[in-house]
Amino acid sequence: MWSRQRGRLKPLCCGVEELRCRRREREAALRKARREQQLVSKRLLRDEALEEAEEGCVAMIFGEAEIQQFLRLAQRGTEEKEREGALVSLRRGLQRPETQQTFIRLEGSIRTLVGLLTSNQALLQLEAARCLHELSHSEQSAVVEACLPATSYLLTYLSGHSSDFIELCLYTLGNLIVESEAVRRQLLPQGIVPALAACIQSPHLTVLEALGYALSQLLQAKEAPEKIIPSASTDSSVLGSTLPQHMLQLLQPGPKLNLGVAVEFAWCLHYIICSQVNNALLITQGALSTLGLLLLDLAGAVQRTEDAGLELLACPVFRCLSNLLTEAAAEAVGGQLQLRDERVVAALFILLQFLLQKQPSLLPEGLWLLNNLTANSPSFCTSLLSLDLIEPLLHLLSVSNVVSVLVLTVLCNVAEKGPAYCQRLWPGPLLSSLLDTLAFSDTEVVGQSLELLQLLFLYQPGAAQAFLQQSGLQALQRHEEVAQLQDRVHALQQTALHG
Amino acid sequence: MQLPPALHARLAGAPGSAEPLPVERDPAARTAPFRFAPRPVRFPREHDFFEEGDVQRHLYLQDVLTQVGGAPERPRVPEFTCQVAGCCQVFDALEDYEHHYHTLHRNVCSFCKRAFPSGHLLDTHILEWHDSLFQILAERQDMYQCLVEGCTEKFRTSRDRKEHLVMRHLYPVDFRFDKPRKSRGPVMPGAAEQVLAEAPGDDGVPSEVDAMEVCSEHVEPPPAPAGERRAYSHREMELVSFSCPRTVAQNLA
């Protein structure tokens, strides 16, 4: 059963068209950032404009005197409600960068805040934590780094039991983690990895999702492949901790699987795996098996529900599986049922269909997995044929060049295994699809089509003949002068004409 | 993209697959100018192939994070009182009560009624403050365990441990959950090296700082019985108070 916990949706106050436009802008900004390898910046995580648009009551800017007043009241007020109220006001004010700046420059302010954070007054603690959270969100390094004296306490509280409080500490830590390598250089020796490893045993979904987020930020750090992931490092090692095993457990399909939580940990796994530090270890811990079962479960979920967001989980699962399949260790466990189970192929196609409707830009990732599954596997190539999946595959040929190249590559994976396979590719729509792709101008698409044609001519009697009859030679002609294609075009022309 | 109707049934069916067709390659297949060879592909972290998916991921994160941090709307319930003996805190929201309970009543030392943020710190506290066997063993071997989870270092004195926490783990020098036992007994002649009085506040902030130590504000810790005090007083002289905490703290901040 897939349960999605999202109880905090703010009411929409801008029109749908405006939202769409906003979203396109945000996408463009993110794409630019990724190309500059800046995708992990704090600024991008918090979408300023969206927030301002939704801000019902504008936070006030407080001056020194007012801040001091709030702090004094919070610390020494006689009435509990009064103390709490003072902190709430302060917290609201801290949403403004101006107030943040004033706050951190005030002597003793952080010290007092940390004092309140570690006090015995539970509600004051919570509000103090929220104040810290606001500061941790800031784009100004000075403001974020002012939170550093609190980190040892935030980490200590992760071993507590109050789920709301822990969740808040985790999101705050997540923001701090993203800030800079300097901040992480403090958090790592303070034991953030063992603290997370202990906290991941929490039964609370909100805590787990927050933890997954914080961990994913840690794993995405530039220095992660050298300093955070490998088990050779001492206390700061993710692979050396129990985190991977717990992550895999949280990704196991079943009634307890929660989408929000699974998304975070799937991304964590992806960052670990694509860093290529010790994937063999993950395989021995059952990563392939778990992810394979998760893929099946995802495909089932996609059929049952309109739930937004399943593609958010599909993407990292595709990536993890695809990369793991390239490991030598994967072949060793290839005997495991999951890797020969044709339900995996069925699941993948159901997901491809889903992506085609929902998020076509993610199709290449699914097809990448299909390539890695079929490349060296007669079993999966046979499944493609026996489950009648060639035609659906051909339908994807018009989506984009990248997609077309991948589709043709998968078809080549099948065809290169010999006559028994080519026989099953023939007759059918394959030839006319190939003639269509030969009309593309993209060199890579055409090149891959030529490779497939060669395999068909070689293994399937009558293929060359049929090709000629359908004006194949003319289709080839337009590429005769293209450098990367010439040789292959000529070779095919010869084969078609002279056998 | 039409999928064969039997596919969904296949997904729901039993694991397994059909017998693979026989593989029979002709060496002519990979001869120049043709170069296709099937191979699984691997992409490293920063590869452009991941751009789309990464962008979608971050769009999602932006949405999530703009919703975090504000105090969520709590369903209000009729006021109720904390049921723990001696506590008269009143609540009108269950989540507030949950946090109160976990902060004040969950990890409480049954000897001195101090409350701790976690079971781990509580266990350490009981061991070091209330376990007579610990004191005896500590005379011969390193018994003070590092407070950071995952670090297995042990130390001869709580002062050594504090130094380790500061130097190795970058903890603040005035970490509030590592208070040494306060001295109750008279100064013993020739006792420990350090006889620094514990300042009322580390940097001029009055004893509010000490008051912030996690301990129940409703129940005073009972004074140690005289007999106990005599037996442990020489241990209690291991006061740890840094005379210039502000400078160190500023350096760490």
Side-chain angles (χ1 to χ4, degrees), chain A residues 31 44 80 164 303 421, chain B residues 8 21 52 62 74 89:
Chain A
R31 203 157 276 133
L44 291 170
E80 241 180 77
D164 280 350
Q303 294 172 86
Y421 292 79
Chain B
H8 304 270
L21 294 165
E52 260 317 306
Q62 282 179 347
R74 294 258 181 258
Q89 199 81 7

Side-chain angles (χ1 to χ4, degrees), chain A residues 4 6 8-10 23 26-27 30-31 34-35 39 44-45 80 91 107 111 115 118-120 122-123 125-126 133 152-153 156-157 159-165 171 185-186 189-190 194 213 216 219-220 225 234-235 264 267 274-276 299 303 312 319 323 326-327 337 340-343 346 349-350 353 356 359 361-362 364 368 371-372 375-376 378-379 382 387-388 392 412-413 416-421 448 451 454 458-459 487-488 491-492, chain B residues 1-4 7-8 10-11 13-26 28-30 33-36 38-72 74 89 95-96 98-100 102-104 106-107 117-119 121 148-150 168-172 174-177 202-203 205-206 208-209 212 214-217 246 252-253:
Chain A
R4 183 87 189 277
R6 206 53 317 148
R8 295 197 205 90
L9 292 173
K10 285 190 181 166
R23 190 182 169 92
R26 286 160 62 202
E27 258 193 64
L30 286 171
R31 203 157 276 133
R34 201 206 180 268
R35 285 188 195 145
L39 199 54
L44 291 170
L45 284 176
E80 241 180 77
R91 191 234 317 152
E107 195 174 304
R111 189 167 185 72
T118 55
S119 74
N120 56 2
L123 297 182
Q125 259 195 351
L126 262 177
H133 182 81
S152 58
Y153 299 109
T156 303
Y157 286 130
S159 321
H161 303 278
S162 171
S163 60
D164 280 350
F165 190 56
Y171 278 113
R185 273 202 298 270
Q186 171 166 313
Q190 282 186 342
Y213 161 69
S216 73
L219 291 167
Q220 215 190 343
T234 47
D235 51 356
E264 295 312 310
W267 280 94
C274 69
S275 300
Q276 253 115 42
Q303 294 172 86
L312 296 163
R319 294 179 180 193
N323 268 330
T326 66
E327 299 286 332
L337 204 58
R340 294 201 198 288
D341 187 350
E342 67 183 2
R343 293 180 306 164
F349 269 80
I350 291 171
Q353 184 192 49
L356 183 60
Q359 191 75 50
S361 60
L362 291 179
W368 169 37
N371 172 71
N372 285 12
N376 292 325
S379 176
T382 307
L387 292 173
D388 279 325
C412 285
N413 287 347
E416 71 88 32
K417 294 189 172 38
Y421 292 79
Q448 208 63 28
E451 298 284 344
Q454 187 243 2
L458 190 57
Y459 293 133
D487 297 338
R488 290 180 283 177
L492 281 174
Chain B
M1 181 190 182
Q2 282 282 64
L3 293 175
L7 198 67
H8 304 270
R10 183 64 198 91
L11 180 67
S17 54
E19 192 61 37
L21 294 165
V23 177
E24 208 186 305
R25 293 189 179 97
D26 188 325
R30 284 185 208 181
F34 296 98
R35 42 190 183 261
F36 176 77
R39 57 181 188 93
V41 174
R42 168 188 286 195
F43 288 119
R45 298 186 81 146
E46 289 304 328
H47 202 282
D48 287 344
F49 186 77
F50 290 147
E51 180 181 307
E52 260 317 306
D54 285 354
V55 166
Q56 297 304 322
R57 158 76 173 157
H58 276 73
L59 275 173
Y60 167 71
L61 278 183
Q62 282 179 347
D63 288 340
V64 167
L65 291 173
T66 53
Q67 293 167 22
V68 170
R74 294 258 181 258
Q89 199 81 7
E95 292 82 358
D96 293 344
E98 185 206 21
H99 185 52
H100 160 88
H102 289 312
T103 305
L104 272 186
R106 174 100 184 224
N107 299 302
S118 68
L121 284 173
V148 173
E149 290 220 45
R168 176 72 185 80
H169 294 295
L170 306 186
Y171 264 49
D174 59 348
F175 186 64
R176 277 158 233 265
F177 306 124
D202 285 336
D203 57 355
V205 175
E208 278 303 330
V209 170
M212 293 304 179
V214 178
C215 66
S216 164
E217 76 172 354
R246 194 212 300 243
L252 286 178

Side-chain angles (χ1 to χ4, degrees), chain A residues 164-276:
Chain A
D164 280 350
F165 190 56
I166 295 175
E167 190 193 346
L168 196 51
C169 291
L170 283 166
Y171 278 113
T172 306
L173 282 166
N175 290 339
L176 292 175
I177 286 169
V178 174
E179 177 58 32
S180 68
E181 189 170 351
V183 170
R184 295 190 287 271
R185 273 202 298 270
Q186 171 166 313
L187 287 172
L188 287 165
Q190 282 186 342
I192 186 168
V193 173
L196 291 175
C199 187
I200 201 173
Q201 299 175 58
S202 166
H204 300 281
L205 295 172
T206 49
V207 168
L208 290 172
E209 194 173 334
L211 195 155
Y213 161 69
L215 183 58
S216 73
Q217 297 303 103
L218 193 60
L219 291 167
Q220 215 190 343
K222 276 202 172 75
E223 75 275 18
E226 292 94 55
K227 304 212 180 116
I228 303 178
I229 299 175
S231 36
S233 1
T234 47
D235 51 356
S236 58
S237 150
V238 170
L239 281 179
S241 75
T242 54
L243 280 167
Q245 286 130 293
H246 282 114
M247 280 195 264
L248 287 172
Q249 253 176 332
L250 289 166
L251 288 170
Q252 269 165 17
K256 286 205 204 143
L257 186 60
N258 172 277
L259 182 58
V261 172
V263 166
E264 295 312 310
F265 289 112
W267 280 94
C268 286
L269 256 187
H270 161 60
Y271 293 129
I272 296 178
I273 291 173
C274 69
S275 300
Q276 253 115 42

